[in-house]
């Protein structure tokens, strides 16, 4: 993705996940907003020189599939810190999931487990490679293994977002290993 598209993707994520009022839009209960209104407000209130094709390029080129566009409405696929109902149904996870982090968080995670830290869910991956990439955004990655099968058997719920990110309310330390 081009540098300008990376910046636009970050701006879109911030607005759709955390602060829609930044460009004077309101998301519905499921996190959706009219696509044309989003683009117009991004341009006028957000000070971003874009048109609908720029935003479409970001949606289509984003390998992480952070955004959903359905019936001329857009939303973030997951990662919200604001209260939205993505309509996700509980799902049976694979036996093992992974979480990427860095050394400075490891002691706290091993003591307290994984917590959403300002988001609505903990994000988990079904591949070690993806978890390593996520962890590397903050430094040298450490990949934690989550015994998802045992967690589910103990009554914890999992959800899988539209872009394949596994979500949980938290992961107690007893289900984690390094």
């Amino acid at each position: 993705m081009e540098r300008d598209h990376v910046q636009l993707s970050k701006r879109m994520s911030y607005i759709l996940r955390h602060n829609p009022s930044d460009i004077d839009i309101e998301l519905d209960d499921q996190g959706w907003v009219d696509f044309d209104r989003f683009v117009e407000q991004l341009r006028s209130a957000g000070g971003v020189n874009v048109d609908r094709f720029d935003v479409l390029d970001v949606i289509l080129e984003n390998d992480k599939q952070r955004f959903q566009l359905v019936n001329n409405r857009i939303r973030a696929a997951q990662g919200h810190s604001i209260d939205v109902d993505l309509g996700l149904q509980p799902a049976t996870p694979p036996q093992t999931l992974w979480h990427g982090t860095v050394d400075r968080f490891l002691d706290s995670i091993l003591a307290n487990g994984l917590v959403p830290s300002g988001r609505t869910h903990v994000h988990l991956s079904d591949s070690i490679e993806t978890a390593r990439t996520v962890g590397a955004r903050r430094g040298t990655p450490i990949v934690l293994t989550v015994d998802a099968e045992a967690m589910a058997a103990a009554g914890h719920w999992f959800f899988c977002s539209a872009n394949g990110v596994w979500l949980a309310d938290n992961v107690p330390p007893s289900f984690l290993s390094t």
Side-chain angles (χ1 to χ4, degrees):
M1 192 182 304
E2 294 177 21
R3 183 169 131 62
D4 290 343
H5 281 171
V6 170
Q7 291 306 109
L8 179 56
S9 177
K10 287 180 180 184
R11 181 79 170 123
M12 291 168 54
S13 291
Y14 171 73
I15 292 164
L16 293 171
R17 290 175 170 177
H18 311 295
N19 194 5
S21 64
D22 194 54
I23 63 167
D24 195 30
I25 60 170
E26 285 188 32
L27 307 179
D28 71 13
D29 293 344
Q30 293 83 37
W32 295 103
V33 65
D34 179 79
F35 179 74
D36 294 321
R37 174 151 171 74
F38 176 72
V39 173
E40 178 56 35
Q41 289 302 108
L42 192 60
R43 184 176 39 246
S44 63
V48 180
N49 186 21
V50 295
D51 61 26
R52 68 187 335 263
F53 298 106
D54 296 320
V55 176
L56 285 170
D57 282 347
V58 167
I59 294 168
L60 297 173
E61 291 178 15
N62 190 290
D63 59 342
K64 295 179 183 173
Q65 300 174 346
R66 286 189 171 113
F67 310 103
Q68 294 176 284
L69 183 63
V70 177
N71 297 328
N72 203 48
R73 298 179 310 151
I74 186 172
R75 75 175 180 182
Q78 96 301 316
H80 298 82
S81 62
I82 56 176
D83 190 27
V84 297
D85 177 5
L86 296 175
L88 301 175
Q89 299 300 311
T92 302
Q95 180 178 350
T96 305
L97 292 168
W98 292 272
H99 180 81
T101 190
V102 291
D103 188 56
R104 69 181 174 271
F105 301 126
L106 190 58
D107 288 342
S108 176
I109 291 171
L110 293 177
N112 303 307
L114 292 169
V115 295
S117 299
R119 295 195 181 189
T120 56
H121 293 96
V122 171
H123 295 188
L124 305 168
S125 172
D126 62 2
S127 81
I128 293 172
E129 296 78 21
T130 300
R132 188 174 290 116
T133 299
V134 169
R137 294 183 307 192
R138 293 189 166 145
T140 302
I142 294 174
V143 176
L144 301 174
T145 301
V146 177
D147 187 346
E149 182 177 53
M151 258 184 81
H156 293 268
W157 289 10
F158 290 85
F159 307 90
C160 190
S161 67
N163 61 347
V165 175
W166 283 90
L167 307 171
D169 290 337
N170 63 68
V171 178
S174 59
F175 298 104
L176 292 170
S177 60
T178 55

